[in-house]
Structure formats: structure tokens, C-alpha cells
Amino acid sequence: MKCIIKHERLGEITYTENAWTGKKSLYIGGQKLEQPSKSVFMTADGERIELRGNFFHGTQLLIGSETIAVTPACKWYEYVLSAIPFVLVMIWGNAVPLCEIIPIVGGALGGAIGGLSFALCLLALRKVKNIAFKILIAVGITGVCFLICYLIALAILA
């Protein structure tokens, strides 16, 4: 994820974070800052910048006594939309009457697939601004998750 903000004193601040590895980099005025530790950056003139938060909880820069919000935290509805595949697989996969209609894998394997769908959905939702698109993405990922669990259940039953 890449985020660019304008600051009146520092100019253009560019923050990048890899959602999978957690690797972070910070550029101020087009120059990459040195990173002596995981959450501390140093400017060319020796000013210390501390990084707090992450991709999901929002990120802030602490420069002296000033706090600059770089990325916002996830909204409550993004968490709810992302949890739908996991909840669906857990409920459907463990209910015998529902599995008689359409069998899907539940339990640990279904939970792992649902958990992976949760993470992928949350990552995708963070990149989209429009709420209607967020809902479409959540429905699509839920459908793919359900299909994968269905195909695995068919393979197990065969």
C-alpha cells in the first residue's frame, strides 16, 4: 500500500507498507529516510520520526510532539464484510441439514479457507473507496470461498 500526503512543514510524505511482509519505507520530499530500527526513521538532518500503527489499525508519524495521521484505521463495516466468508463456512460446514443440501468442508480446513478469505477480503476492501464496490468485492470473495469449500467437499466425498 502506498500513501502520499502533503504536510505544510515537511512537504510531500510518501509512506509504503507491504501488507504481507510488513516492510515499511518512508520518503519525505522525495528522499528515502534511513531506518535504524523497525519503527524509527531518521531524516538527513538527524530528526527522529517514530512510526506507530499498521495497515489495519491506521498509521501515524510522531515527529517531536507532532502526530501526523498517514493512513486511516479500518472501518467497522470493512471488518463485518470481511468476516462474512468465514462465518458462512463455519455455520454451513458444521450444520448437517445444510450440508445435505450443498456439502461444503467445515472444521479446521473450512476455517483455514475462511480465515484466508477474511484476510484477502480485508486487504481488497482497504484499497477501494466506494462502498458499493466494497460490497461487491465482499460478495465475490464469499462466493469464491464457498465454491472452494464445495469443491473440496466433493473431492472428499468422492
Side-chain angles (χ1 to χ4, degrees), residues 90-118:
M90 287 293 94
I91 291 173
W92 195 293
N94 293 310
V96 175
L98 292 175
C99 283
E100 288 175 354
I101 301 169
I102 299 174
I104 69 167
V105 68
L109 186 56
I113 294 167
L116 181 62
S117 297
F118 175 85

Side-chain angles (χ1 to χ4, degrees), residues 9-10 47-50 61-68:
R9 182 173 63 93
L10 299 172
E47 190 174 18
R48 177 188 160 116
I49 299 174
E50 186 176 344
L61 297 176
L62 298 171
I63 305 172
S65 62
E66 184 179 8
T67 302
I68 302 169

Side-chain angles (χ1 to χ4, degrees), residues 14-87:
T14 305
Y15 170 74
T16 59
E17 179 179 356
N18 187 321
W20 298 108
T21 64
K23 184 173 172 31
K24 302 167 186 169
S25 61
L26 185 64
Y27 296 82
I28 294 182
Q31 293 184 346
K32 185 174 183 177
L33 302 184
E34 291 185 34
Q35 189 174 9
S37 70
K38 186 176 180 179
S39 63
V40 175
F41 292 90
M42 300 297 282
T43 62
D45 51 334
E47 190 174 18
R48 177 188 160 116
I49 299 174
E50 186 176 344
L51 187 66
R52 292 209 178 145
N54 59 28
F55 181 75
F56 299 108
H57 300 297
T59 309
Q60 298 89 28
L61 297 176
L62 298 171
I63 305 172
S65 62
E66 184 179 8
T67 302
I68 302 169
V70 179
T71 60
C74 285
K75 306 283 191 273
W76 66 269
Y77 56 85
E78 291 174 336
Y79 285 116
V80 170
L81 288 172
S82 297
I84 291 172
F86 179 77
V87 172

